[in-house]
Coordinates of all heavy atoms in Angstrom, one line a residue:
G1 N 77.0 -31.7 21.1 CA 77.7 -30.4 21.0 C 76.9 -29.3 20.5 O 75.7 -29.2 20.7
R2 N 77.5 -28.4 19.8 CA 76.9 -27.2 19.1 C 77.0 -27.4 17.6 O 78.0 -27.7 17.1 CB 77.7 -26.0 19.6 CG 77.2 -24.7 19.0 CD 77.9 -23.5 19.7 NE 77.4 -23.4 21.0 CZ 76.6 -22.5 21.4 NH1 76.1 -21.6 20.6 NH2 76.2 -22.4 22.7
A3 N 75.9 -27.1 16.9 CA 75.8 -27.3 15.5 C 75.5 -26.0 14.7 O 74.4 -25.6 14.6 CB 74.7 -28.4 15.2
L4 N 76.6 -25.4 14.3 CA 76.5 -24.2 13.5 C 77.5 -24.3 12.3 O 78.3 -23.4 12.1 CB 77.0 -23.0 14.4 CG 76.1 -22.7 15.6 CD1 76.8 -21.7 16.6 CD2 74.8 -22.2 15.2
P5 N 77.3 -25.3 11.5 CA 78.2 -25.4 10.3 C 77.9 -24.3 9.3 O 76.8 -23.8 9.2 CB 77.9 -26.7 9.7 CG 76.5 -27.0 10.2 CD 76.3 -26.3 11.5
E6 N 78.9 -23.9 8.6 CA 78.7 -22.9 7.5 C 77.9 -23.5 6.4 O 77.1 -22.8 5.8 CB 80.1 -22.4 6.9 CG 80.9 -21.5 7.9 CD 82.2 -21.0 7.3 OE1 82.2 -20.9 6.1 OE2 83.1 -20.8 8.1
D7 N 78.1 -24.8 6.1 CA 77.3 -25.4 5.1 C 76.7 -26.7 5.7 O 77.4 -27.8 5.7 CB 78.2 -25.8 3.9 CG 77.5 -26.4 2.7 OD1 76.4 -26.9 2.9 OD2 78.1 -26.4 1.6
A8 N 75.5 -26.7 6.2 CA 74.9 -27.8 6.9 C 74.7 -29.0 6.0 O 74.9 -30.1 6.4 CB 73.5 -27.4 7.4
I9 N 74.4 -28.8 4.7 CA 74.2 -29.9 3.8 C 75.6 -30.7 3.6 O 75.6 -31.9 3.7 CB 73.7 -29.4 2.4 CG1 72.3 -28.9 2.6 CG2 73.8 -30.5 1.4 CD1 71.8 -28.2 1.3
R10 N 76.6 -30.0 3.5 CA 78.0 -30.6 3.3 C 78.4 -31.3 4.6 O 78.9 -32.4 4.6 CB 79.0 -29.6 2.9 CG 80.3 -30.2 2.5 CD 81.3 -29.2 2.0 NE 81.7 -28.4 3.2 CZ 82.7 -27.5 3.2 NH1 83.3 -27.3 2.1 NH2 82.9 -26.8 4.3
F11 N 78.1 -30.7 5.8 CA 78.5 -31.3 7.0 C 77.7 -32.6 7.3 O 78.3 -33.6 7.8 CB 78.2 -30.3 8.2 CG 78.4 -30.9 9.5 CD1 79.7 -31.2 10.0 CD2 77.3 -31.3 10.3 CE1 79.9 -31.8 11.2 CE2 77.5 -31.9 11.6 CZ 78.8 -32.1 12.0
F12 N 76.4 -32.6 6.9 CA 75.6 -33.8 7.2 C 75.8 -34.9 6.1 O 75.4 -36.0 6.3 CB 74.1 -33.4 7.3 CG 73.7 -33.0 8.7 CD1 73.9 -31.7 9.1 CD2 73.2 -33.9 9.6 CE1 73.6 -31.3 10.4 CE2 72.9 -33.6 10.9 CZ 73.1 -32.2 11.3
L13 N 76.4 -34.6 5.0 CA 76.6 -35.6 3.9 C 77.2 -36.9 4.4 O 76.6 -38.0 4.1 CB 77.4 -35.0 2.8 CG 77.5 -35.8 1.5 CD1 76.1 -36.1 0.9 CD2 78.3 -35.2 0.5
P14 N 78.3 -36.9 5.1 CA 78.8 -38.2 5.6 C 77.8 -39.0 6.4 O 77.8 -40.2 6.4 CB 80.1 -37.9 6.4 CG 80.4 -36.5 6.0 CD 79.1 -35.8 5.5
M15 N 77.1 -38.3 7.2 CA 76.1 -39.0 8.1 C 75.0 -39.6 7.2 O 74.5 -40.7 7.4 CB 75.5 -38.0 9.1 CG 76.5 -37.7 10.2 SD 75.8 -36.4 11.3 CE 76.6 -34.9 10.5
F16 N 74.5 -38.8 6.2 CA 73.5 -39.4 5.3 C 74.0 -40.6 4.6 O 73.3 -41.6 4.5 CB 73.1 -38.3 4.3 CG 72.2 -37.2 4.8 CD1 71.9 -37.1 6.2 CD2 71.6 -36.3 4.0 CE1 71.1 -36.1 6.7 CE2 70.8 -35.3 4.5 CZ 70.5 -35.2 5.8
E17 N 75.2 -40.5 4.1 CA 75.8 -41.7 3.4 C 75.9 -42.9 4.3 O 75.6 -44.0 3.9 CB 77.2 -41.3 2.8 CG 77.1 -40.3 1.7 CD 78.5 -39.8 1.2 OE1 79.5 -40.0 2.0 OE2 78.5 -39.1 0.2
W18 N 76.3 -42.7 5.5 CA 76.5 -43.8 6.5 C 75.1 -44.4 6.8 O 74.9 -45.6 6.8 CB 77.1 -43.2 7.8 CG 77.6 -44.3 8.7 CD1 78.9 -44.9 8.7 CD2 76.9 -44.9 9.7 NE1 78.9 -45.8 9.7 CE2 77.7 -45.9 10.4 CE3 75.6 -44.8 10.2 CZ2 77.3 -46.7 11.4 CZ3 75.2 -45.6 11.3 CH2 76.0 -46.5 11.9
I19 N 74.1 -43.5 7.1 CA 72.8 -44.0 7.5 C 72.1 -44.7 6.3 O 71.4 -45.7 6.5 CB 71.9 -42.8 8.0 CG1 72.4 -42.4 9.4 CG2 70.4 -43.2 8.0 CD1 71.8 -41.2 9.9
N20 N 72.3 -44.3 5.1 CA 71.7 -44.9 3.9 C 72.3 -46.4 3.7 O 71.6 -47.2 3.2 CB 72.0 -44.1 2.6 CG 70.9 -43.1 2.4 OD1 69.7 -43.4 2.5 ND2 71.3 -41.9 2.1
K21 N 73.5 -46.6 4.2 CA 74.1 -47.9 4.1 C 73.8 -48.8 5.3 O 73.8 -50.0 5.2 CB 75.6 -47.8 4.0 CG 76.1 -47.2 2.7 CD 77.6 -47.0 2.7 CE 78.0 -46.2 1.5 NZ 79.5 -45.9 1.6
Y22 N 73.5 -48.2 6.4 CA 73.3 -48.9 7.7 C 71.9 -49.5 7.9 O 70.9 -48.8 7.6 CB 73.6 -48.0 8.9 CG 73.5 -48.7 10.2 CD1 74.5 -49.6 10.6 CD2 72.4 -48.6 11.0 CE1 74.4 -50.3 11.8 CE2 72.2 -49.3 12.2 CZ 73.2 -50.2 12.6 OH 73.1 -50.9 13.7
T23 N 71.9 -50.7 8.3 CA 70.6 -51.4 8.7 C 70.9 -52.0 10.0 O 71.8 -52.8 10.2 CB 70.2 -52.4 7.6 OG1 70.0 -51.7 6.4 CG2 69.0 -53.1 8.0
G24 N 70.0 -51.7 10.9 CA 70.1 -52.3 12.3 C 68.7 -52.5 12.8 O 67.8 -51.7 12.6
E25 N 68.5 -53.7 13.4 CA 67.2 -54.0 13.9 C 66.8 -53.0 15.0 O 65.7 -52.5 15.1 CB 67.1 -55.4 14.5 CG 65.7 -56.0 14.3 CD 65.7 -57.5 14.6 OE1 66.3 -58.2 13.7 OE2 65.2 -57.8 15.6
I26 N 67.8 -52.6 15.9 CA 67.5 -51.7 16.9 C 68.5 -50.5 16.8 O 69.7 -50.7 16.7 CB 67.7 -52.3 18.3 CG1 66.7 -53.5 18.5 CG2 67.6 -51.3 19.4 CD1 66.9 -54.3 19.8
I27 N 68.0 -49.3 16.8 CA 68.8 -48.1 16.7 C 68.6 -47.3 18.0 O 67.4 -47.0 18.3 CB 68.6 -47.3 15.4 CG1 69.0 -48.1 14.2 CG2 69.3 -45.9 15.5 CD1 68.7 -47.4 12.9
N28 N 69.7 -47.0 18.7 CA 69.6 -46.1 19.8 C 70.3 -44.8 19.5 O 71.5 -44.8 19.3 CB 70.3 -46.7 21.0 CG 69.5 -47.9 21.6 OD1 68.3 -47.8 21.9 ND2 70.1 -49.1 21.6
L29 N 69.6 -43.8 19.4 CA 70.1 -42.5 18.9 C 70.0 -41.5 20.1 O 69.0 -41.4 20.7 CB 69.3 -41.9 17.8 CG 69.6 -40.6 17.2 CD1 71.0 -40.5 16.7 CD2 68.6 -40.3 16.0
E30 N 71.2 -40.9 20.4 CA 71.2 -39.8 21.4 C 71.6 -38.5 20.8 O 72.6 -38.4 20.1 CB 72.2 -40.2 22.5 CG 72.3 -39.2 23.6 CD 73.3 -39.5 24.7 OE1 73.2 -40.7 25.2 OE2 74.1 -38.7 25.0
V31 N 70.7 -37.5 21.0 CA 71.0 -36.2 20.5 C 71.1 -35.3 21.7 O 70.2 -35.1 22.6 CB 69.8 -35.7 19.6 CG1 70.1 -34.2 19.2 CG2 69.6 -36.6 18.4
N32 N 72.3 -34.7 21.9 CA 72.6 -33.8 23.0 C 73.3 -32.5 22.4 O 74.5 -32.4 22.5 CB 73.5 -34.5 24.0 CG 73.7 -33.7 25.2 OD1 73.2 -32.6 25.4 ND2 74.4 -34.2 26.2
L33 N 72.4 -31.7 21.8 CA 72.9 -30.5 21.2 C 72.5 -29.3 22.1 O 71.4 -29.2 22.5 CB 72.3 -30.3 19.8 CG 72.8 -31.3 18.8 CD1 71.9 -31.2 17.5 CD2 74.2 -31.1 18.5
D34 N 73.5 -28.4 22.4 CA 73.1 -27.2 23.2 C 72.6 -26.1 22.3 O 71.9 -25.2 22.8 CB 74.3 -26.8 24.1 CG 75.5 -26.4 23.3 OD1 75.5 -26.2 22.1 OD2 76.6 -26.4 23.9
Y35 N 72.8 -26.2 21.0 CA 72.3 -25.2 20.0 C 72.4 -25.8 18.6 O 73.4 -26.4 18.3 CB 73.0 -23.9 20.2 CG 72.4 -22.8 19.2 CD1 71.3 -22.1 19.6 CD2 72.9 -22.6 18.0 CE1 70.7 -21.2 18.8 CE2 72.4 -21.7 17.1 CZ 71.2 -21.0 17.5 OH 70.6 -20.1 16.7
F36 N 71.4 -25.5 17.8 CA 71.5 -25.7 16.4 C 70.7 -24.7 15.6 O 69.7 -24.3 16.2 CB 71.2 -27.2 16.0 CG 69.8 -27.7 16.3 CD1 68.7 -27.5 15.5 CD2 69.6 -28.3 17.5 CE1 67.5 -27.9 15.8 CE2 68.3 -28.8 17.8 CZ 67.3 -28.6 17.0
N37 N 71.1 -24.4 14.4 CA 70.4 -23.4 13.7 C 69.3 -24.0 12.8 O 69.2 -25.2 12.7 CB 71.4 -22.5 12.9 CG 72.2 -23.2 11.9 OD1 71.9 -24.3 11.5 ND2 73.4 -22.7 11.6
T38 N 68.6 -23.2 12.0 CA 67.5 -23.6 11.2 C 68.0 -24.6 10.1 O 67.3 -25.6 9.9 CB 66.8 -22.4 10.6 OG1 66.4 -21.5 11.6 CG2 65.6 -22.9 9.8
S39 N 69.1 -24.3 9.5 CA 69.6 -25.2 8.4 C 69.9 -26.6 9.0 O 69.7 -27.6 8.3 CB 70.7 -24.6 7.6 OG 71.8 -24.3 8.5
V40 N 70.5 -26.6 10.2 CA 70.8 -27.9 10.8 C 69.5 -28.6 11.2 O 69.4 -29.8 11.0 CB 71.7 -27.7 12.1 CG1 71.8 -28.9 12.9 CG2 73.1 -27.2 11.6
S41 N 68.5 -27.9 11.7 CA 67.2 -28.5 12.0 C 66.6 -29.3 10.8 O 66.1 -30.4 11.0 CB 66.2 -27.4 12.5 OG 65.0 -28.0 12.8
K42 N 66.7 -28.7 9.7 CA 66.2 -29.4 8.4 C 67.0 -30.6 8.1 O 66.5 -31.7 7.8 CB 66.3 -28.4 7.3 CG 66.1 -29.0 5.9 CD 64.6 -29.3 5.6 CE 64.4 -29.6 4.2 NZ 64.5 -31.0 3.8
Q43 N 68.3 -30.6 8.3 CA 69.2 -31.7 8.0 C 68.9 -32.8 9.0 O 68.9 -34.0 8.7 CB 70.7 -31.3 8.0 CG 71.0 -30.3 6.9 CD 70.6 -30.8 5.5 OE1 71.0 -31.9 5.1 NE2 69.9 -30.0 4.8
I44 N 68.7 -32.5 10.3 CA 68.4 -33.5 11.3 C 67.1 -34.2 11.0 O 67.1 -35.4 11.0 CB 68.3 -32.8 12.7 CG1 69.7 -32.4 13.2 CG2 67.7 -33.8 13.7 CD1 69.7 -31.5 14.5

């Protein structure tokens, strides 16, 4: 989708928490963003 959160750090927090707990031998990540701003780029 489109990533323009008012607070990118707060928006990404649940993802960071999830990823910090997750361990998988194989990870398949798909990123399909039509737009993201600079603060989102840093969080990604």
Side-chain angles (χ1 to χ4, degrees):
R2 178 172 290 256
L4 296 168
E6 288 184 28
D7 184 344
I9 293 171
R10 189 176 69 170
F11 174 73
F12 274 86
L13 186 60
M15 287 172 268
F16 285 8
E17 290 171 349
W18 193 92
I19 287 169
N20 274 312
K21 294 176 188 172
Y22 181 76
T23 298
E25 211 168 290
I26 299 173
I27 293 178
N28 290 302
L29 176 59
E30 180 179 309
V31 177
N32 188 356
L33 293 170
D34 57 19
Y35 183 82
F36 58 89
N37 60 24
T38 305
S39 60
V40 168
S41 178
K42 168 78 168 92
Q43 297 305 307
I44 289 172

